[in-house]
C-alpha cells in the first residue's frame, strides 16, 4: 500500500489516554505495562501471557491512536492469514463504533475490507495511515513495506527465519516498533529473540551481557505463586480477575507442569523429562474381581503389522475411578481376532459402554461395525488433550492399574518423555501404543455406574419410601 500524505482530511491528533477514555477502555496490568514501555522508548516489546489475558486486545488498542496520525504504517503478521483476524477485528470494531471506519471508504479516498477467508483484511485511511494483515506463509511478500508498527500475532508459532530474514528490518528505516503479544511455547526462538535481551540482570543479579535497552518484555501470570521478577522463565506481573483462585489451583493439580506454566503461568516452560506422573507405588493396586455392573470401556490403538496394536480394557467404579485390568499388545491379528479377545476378556456378564478407536483407523471402525460393534473417537484429537486428561486422572488418584495386567501401559507411562526440541511434542510418540489407547478412551465421556440396590434397601421401598430415598 502506498502512503498518501497530501490529503485535506485528517482526524485531530489524539493522545492514547484520551483515545482509551473515548472508547471506554481501562487497560489491565499487562496491557498498561506494554503502553508504558512503548512510551519509555522501547522498540521491541513482547507481552507474554496466558490465554485470555488480553494480549491481542492490548496490542490492537495500543496501535489504534497511532493510526489516526497521518502516514502510520502497520502490519499484523500471523503464521496463517486467518490467525491475524483477532487483532484486526478489535481495530475494525473500535473504529466502526467510533465512526472512524467510514473514512476508509472509497468515497473518501480510503479502502477497507474484512475478509479473512478471501485473504483481504486491511484498513487504509485517506491520510496515508493503514493497517493490514499479512501471512507469514509467503515470505517473499514480507519485504514490501517500511513499517511504523509490526504486530506479530501468534508469534510463538512463527518461524525464526521468517522474522530475522524477512521482518526484522521492516521497522528500522522508520524507527518503528515491534509488538509481540503471545503465549509462550517452550523456550523457542521467541525466548532468545525477545526475552533474553530485555533482561538487565540474570537470576543472580549479575549483568546480562546480551541486554539491549531497545528491548522490553513482560510475562503475565494468572497464578500469583508463579511470579518471580528475578527468574527469566517465570512471571513479572500477576493478572487477577481472569481465572478464579480455585480454577488456578485445580489446573495446577490436573495439568502437566510445562503446560500449566504456559496456559496459566504465562511463562517459559522447559519441555524435558517425563510426561506422565505415573507412580506404581500410588497407581498400581492388587488385582480384584471387577464388578459386572461397573462401566466398562475399551481403548484401541491399531497398528498395521509389523507395528503393534494395543487394546486396553478398563472399568469405572461408581466414584469415577478408572481401573485398567486387561491389555493386549501384539501385531498381525485380524480385527475379528482382536475383537474375539475383547469379548473373551469381558466374559458373559460385562457390557461395554465404549469402544474408543484411533481416529485415523477408519477401516478398523468399519470392520467393527460389520461385527455389530459401534465405536467412538475423541472429539479432541490432539495429543496434548489426551496427555492433560491422563495427567488429571493420575494426579487426582482416579486412574489405577491392576498389578500384572497392563505391563506395557505401565512401562510406557513411566518412559514417555517430552521432545526438548519440539515443545508440547512427545519424543518418539509413535512407539507409545498402550498410552495412545488410554488417551482415546479417557477423552470420551461415559456414564458412571450406580451400585445395585441391596436387599435391605429393597425392603424399605414398600414399607418406608422416605427412608429408601435417604439410603439410595
Amino acid at each position: 500500500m502506498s502512503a498518501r500524505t497530501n490529503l485535506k482530511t485528517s482526524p485531530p491528533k489524539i493522545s492514547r489516554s484520551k483515545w482509551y477514555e473515548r472508547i471506554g477502555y481501562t487497560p489491565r496490568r499487562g496491557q498498561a505495562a506494554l503502553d508504558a514501555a512503548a512510551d519509555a522508548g522501547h522498540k521491541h516489546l513482547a507481552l507474554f501471557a496466558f490465554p485470555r489475558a488480553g494480549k491481542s486486545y492490548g496490542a490492537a488498542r495500543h496501535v489504534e491512536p497511532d493510526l489516526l496520525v497521518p502516514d502510520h504504517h502497520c502490519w499484523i503478521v500471523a503464521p496463517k492469514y486467518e490467525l491475524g483476524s483477532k487483532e484486526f477485528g478489535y481495530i475494525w470494531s473500535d473504529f466502526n463504533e467510533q465512526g472512524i471506519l467510514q473514512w476508509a471508504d472509497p468515497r473518501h479516498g480510503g479502502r477497507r475490507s474484512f475478509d479473512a477467508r478471501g485473504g483481504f483484511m486491511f484498513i487504509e485511511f485517506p491520510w496515508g495511515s493503514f493497517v493490514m494483515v499479512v501471512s507469514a506463509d509467503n515470505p517473499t511478500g514480507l519485504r514490501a513495506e517500511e513499517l511504523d508498527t509490526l504486530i506479530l500475532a501468534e508469534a510463538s508459532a512463527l518461524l525464526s527465519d521468517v522474522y530475522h530474514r524477512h521482518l526484522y528490518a521492516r521497522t528500522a528505516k522508520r524507527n518503528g516498533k515491534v509488538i509481540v503479544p503471545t503465549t509462550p511455547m517452550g523456550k523457542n526462538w521467541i525466548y532468545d529473540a525477545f526475552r533474553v535481551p530485555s533482561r538487565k540482570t540474570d537470576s543472580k543479579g549479575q549483568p546480562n551481557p546480551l541486554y539491549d535497552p531497545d528491548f522490553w518484555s513482560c510475562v503475565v501470570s494468572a497464578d500469583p505463586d508463579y511470579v518471580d521478577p528475578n527468574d527469566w522463565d517465570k512471571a513479572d506481573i500477576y493478572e487477577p480477575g481472569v481465572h478464579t483462585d480455585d480454577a488456578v489451583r485445580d489446573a495446577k493439580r490436573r495439568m502437566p507442569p510445562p503446560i500449566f506454566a504456559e496456559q496459566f503461568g504465562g511463562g517459559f516452560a522447559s519441555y524435558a523429562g517425563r510426561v506422565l506422573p505415573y507412580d506404581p507405588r500410588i497407581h498400581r493396586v492388587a488385582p480384584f474381581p471387577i464388578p459386572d455392573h461397573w462401566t466398562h470401556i475399551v481403548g484401541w490403538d491399531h497398528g498395521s503389522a509389523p507395528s503393534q496394536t494395543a487394546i486396553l480394557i478398563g472399568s469405572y467404579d461408581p466414584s469415577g475411578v478408572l481401573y485398567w485390568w486387561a491389555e493386549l499388545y501384539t501385531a498381525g491379528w485380524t480385527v475379528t481376532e482382536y475383537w474375539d479377545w475383547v469379548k473373551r476378556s469381558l466374559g458373559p456378564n460385562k457390557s461395554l459402554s465404549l469402544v474408543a478407536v484411533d481416529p485415523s483407523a477408519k477401516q478398523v471402525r468399519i470392520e467393527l461395525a460389520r461385527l455389530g460393534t459401534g465405536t467412538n473417537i475423541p472429539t479432541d484429537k490432539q495429543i496434548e488433550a489426551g496427555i492433560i486428561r491422563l495427567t488429571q486422572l493420575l494426579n487426582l488418584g482416579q486412574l489405577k492399574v491392576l498389578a500384572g495386567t497392563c505391563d506395557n501401559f505401565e512401562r510406557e507411562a513411566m518412559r514417555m518423555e517430552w521432545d526438548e526440541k519440539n515443545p508440547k511434542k512427545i519424543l518418539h510418540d509413535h512407539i507409545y501404543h498402550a498410552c495412545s489407547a488410554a488417551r482415546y478412551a479417557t477423552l470420551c465421556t461415559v456414564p458412571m455406574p450406580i451400585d445395585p440396590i441391596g436387599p435391605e434397601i429393597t425392603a424399605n421401598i414398600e414399607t418406608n419410601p422416605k427412608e429408601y430415598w435417604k439410603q439410595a
Side-chain angles (χ1 to χ4, degrees):
M1 291 188 179
S2 60
R4 297 192 294 272
T5 57
N6 57 340
L7 295 171
K8 297 179 180 179
T9 56
S10 175
K13 185 176 181 180
I14 184 170
S15 67
R16 183 166 283 106
S17 60
K18 290 293 185 182
W19 174 251
Y20 288 173
E21 182 180 343
R22 175 174 170 176
I23 63 177
Y25 169 57
T26 301
R28 293 176 177 171
R29 294 178 181 179
Q31 296 162 343
L34 172 67
D35 292 337
D39 292 341
H42 299 288
K43 298 300 182 183
H44 297 82
L45 306 120
L47 184 60
F48 302 112
F50 58 95
R52 294 182 55 212
K55 307 175 296 295
S56 300
Y57 199 52
R61 291 197 149 172
H62 176 87
V63 77
E64 286 172 357
D66 294 335
L67 292 168
L68 303 181
V69 176
D71 203 29
H72 190 92
H73 301 183
C74 176
W75 270 9
I76 301 170
V77 178
K80 299 292 182 182
Y81 194 80
E82 59 273 13
L83 294 179
S85 62
K86 184 186 294 186
E87 287 86 351
F88 183 82
Y90 292 140
I91 297 171
W92 179 283
S93 178
D94 284 342
F95 282 166
N96 186 45
E97 290 178 4
Q98 297 302 318
I100 293 172
L101 190 61
Q102 64 178 332
W103 286 99
D105 192 88
R107 66 189 176 192
H108 296 301
R111 298 197 304 151
R112 63 184 182 183
S113 175
F114 195 167
D115 182 4
R117 290 187 177 183
F120 298 99
M121 287 187 283
F122 58 84
I123 301 171
E124 183 178 4
F125 290 114
W127 48 86
S129 295
F130 66 78
V131 56
M132 64 183 300
V133 176
V134 181
S135 175
D137 59 7
N138 180 24
T140 58
L142 299 176
R143 301 180 180 180
E145 288 286 352
E146 301 294 341
L147 303 171
D148 298 285
T149 301
L150 170 62
I151 298 175
L152 300 182
E154 304 293 343
S156 292
L158 286 169
L159 297 177
S160 170
D161 187 65
V162 168
Y163 174 70
H164 288 108
R165 292 187 60 185
H166 303 284
L167 293 172
Y168 180 81
R170 299 280 68 78
T171 58
K173 186 174 181 179
R174 299 175 72 93
N175 195 29
K177 57 192 172 188
V178 180
I179 301 177
V180 185
T182 191
T183 297
M185 189 184 297
K187 292 184 180 180
N188 62 1
W189 71 272
I190 291 289
Y191 180 83
D192 295 327
F194 292 95
R195 183 61 168 169
V196 172
S198 72
R199 308 293 290 184
K200 292 183 179 180
T201 60
D202 60 22
S203 59
K204 298 180 180 179
Q206 298 300 313
N208 175 18
L210 299 177
Y211 172 67
D212 186 333
D214 275 349
F215 285 76
W216 172 90
S217 73
C218 180
V219 175
V220 182
S221 175
D223 179 10
D225 296 333
Y226 199 76
V227 176
D228 184 350
N230 295 319
D231 190 333
W232 293 6
D233 300 345
K234 292 193 174 182
D236 306 302
I237 290 178
Y238 166 55
E239 189 73 76
V242 181
H243 296 291
T244 64
D245 293 341
D246 288 342
V248 173
R249 283 193 295 268
D250 192 47
K252 191 179 293 186
R253 287 190 303 125
R254 294 170 182 264
M255 302 180 79
I259 295 179
F260 172 84
E262 294 176 356
Q263 299 301 308
F264 285 83
F268 293 88
S270 176
Y271 282 86
R274 286 181 53 189
V275 175
L276 295 174
Y278 181 80
D279 186 340
R281 297 170 299 179
I282 299 172
H283 303 109
R284 183 189 294 162
V285 298
F288 63 91
I290 299 294
D292 291 339
H293 72 277
W294 284 10
T295 298
H296 309 296
I297 65 173
V298 167
W300 188 318
D301 181 61
H302 195 82
S304 300
S307 296
Q308 300 290 317
T309 290
I311 300 177
L312 294 178
I313 302 178
S315 303
Y316 285 100
D317 73 5
S319 68
V321 177
L322 172 61
Y323 294 86
W324 293 120
W325 55 269
E327 174 190 80
L328 179 64
Y329 203 87
T330 189
W333 291 14
T334 65
V335 171
T336 301
E337 290 172 325
Y338 287 127
W339 184 239
D340 286 342
W341 174 85
V342 172
K343 292 190 296 182
R344 289 195 304 271
S345 301
L346 289 168
N349 299 321
K350 290 182 175 64
S351 299
L352 278 175
S353 297
L354 171 77
V355 179
V357 180
D358 180 352
S360 64
K362 182 178 180 180
Q363 186 59 36
V364 174
R365 300 200 303 274
I366 292 174
E367 293 188 39
L368 285 173
R370 290 172 180 167
L371 294 171
T373 301
T375 56
N376 301 74
I377 59 174
T379 54
D380 193 334
K381 302 176 180 64
Q382 299 297 318
I383 292 178
E384 180 184 339
I387 294 300
I388 291 174
R389 177 59 175 157
L390 290 176
T391 300
Q392 170 191 355
L393 293 173
L394 290 167
N395 282 341
L396 297 178
Q398 293 181 320
L399 191 154
K400 305 291 184 180
V401 178
L402 271 61
T405 63
C406 302
D407 294 342
N408 290 287
F409 171 76
E410 290 193 87
R411 172 181 56 82
E412 292 180 4
M414 288 187 286
R415 291 179 57 184
M416 185 184 294
E417 294 186 348
W418 294 109
D419 186 346
E420 295 185 54
K421 296 181 180 179
N422 297 287
K424 296 187 180 181
K425 301 295 184 182
I426 307 300
L427 186 65
H428 307 310
D429 65 328
H430 62 282
I431 67 174
Y432 298 107
H433 305 290
C435 283
S436 294
R439 284 193 290 109
Y440 306 146
T442 55
L443 281 172
C444 296
T445 303
V446 291
M448 293 298 104
I450 300 175
D451 279 328
I453 299 173
E456 70 283 355
I457 296 181
T458 304
N460 282 334
I461 295 178
E462 297 180 357
T463 59
N464 193 347
K466 292 183 179 180
E467 183 63 25
Y468 156 69
W469 284 113
K470 291 180 182 179
Q471 296 184 51

